[in-house]
Amino acid sequence: MRVLTRKDSDDVALEAAAMFVDLFARKPDCVLGLATGATPLGLYGRLIEAYGEGRLDFEGVTTFNLDEYYGLQPDDPQSYRHFMESNLFRHVNIKGERAFVPRGDISYRDVEAFCSGYEALIRGAGGIDLQLLGIGSDGHIGFNEPGSSLRSRTRLVALDPRTIKDNARFFAREEECPGLAVTMGVGTILEAAEIVLIATGSNKAEAVAEALEGPVASMIPASALQMHPKTTFILDEAAASLLKKRNLYMAAERTEGETGLKIY
Ligand code: PGA
């Protein structure tokens, strides 16, 4: 895995944005996997800026979001569909019909069919070229909570109490945070051609260290990324603070600088 450590969240956003700009240049009809939460906001700001400056064109791009709260309508201000519309889609020229977010307003009876349909849509689009991830303080990716099968697919899941606590800040009261969600699985995520995980702040340091340097374990779903051939972690100094092998990552980055080769 590549591990890049940057000074702060602005520099993390810049570095991640560069990966998107590079992909758009190579493949204007690329397929992106997108994430919600506080962490990607800086990156989305950079992408909107690059679009405004004519450096990014979303005309041919398709996107698939990782997850959605179950029980919320797409136009609910707390829904991830609403988050994506407000923080990215509305500000760029992406085609509405090619910006997919799992639906949270499906009946229990129909949810399995919806989830396999979402997988089929991803496959039909040719698979994900670049998957963006955040990481939960409990080590989740998407809403794949500790204990998720490393081969899991898109499905209905129960949120870990820690995630509900972490996300309560977005709701008026903790009890308003839905307890269920629809999420792409760990197995779904691992099929992306390339993955970039961004993490900032000291509350992510433990999960980042376990994901990168601990054993691959379903109790830390992000550790499954160790099995992926092309994953980059972009961290600020606080999120990288508990890594034991920082010297190794820095040496790899230096060599990359000298050789132009990306070292995973
Ligand atoms: P955050 O969430 O960016 O709001 O910290 C990240 C995640 O849970 O994946």
Side-chain angles (χ1 to χ4, degrees), residues 135-202:
I135 184 170
S137 63
D138 64 357
H140 75 205
I141 46 176
F143 272 137
N144 294 286
E145 300 288 22
S148 295
S149 158
L150 302 187
R151 300 185 66 176
S152 52
R153 311 301 308 190
T154 302
R155 69 207 186 286
L156 183 66
V157 294
L159 298 184
D160 194 273
R162 185 153 172 192
T163 295
I164 294 178
K165 242 189 182 24
D166 284 351
N167 289 4
R169 67 189 194 276
F170 299 114
F171 294 84
R173 290 176 311 126
E174 186 175 321
E175 306 79 74
E176 284 175 24
C177 181
L180 298 176
V182 173
T183 184
M184 279 187 205
V186 179
T188 322
I189 291 169
L190 290 178
E191 280 171 11
E194 182 163 10
I195 295 175
V196 56
L197 184 148
I198 55 175
T200 58
S202 56

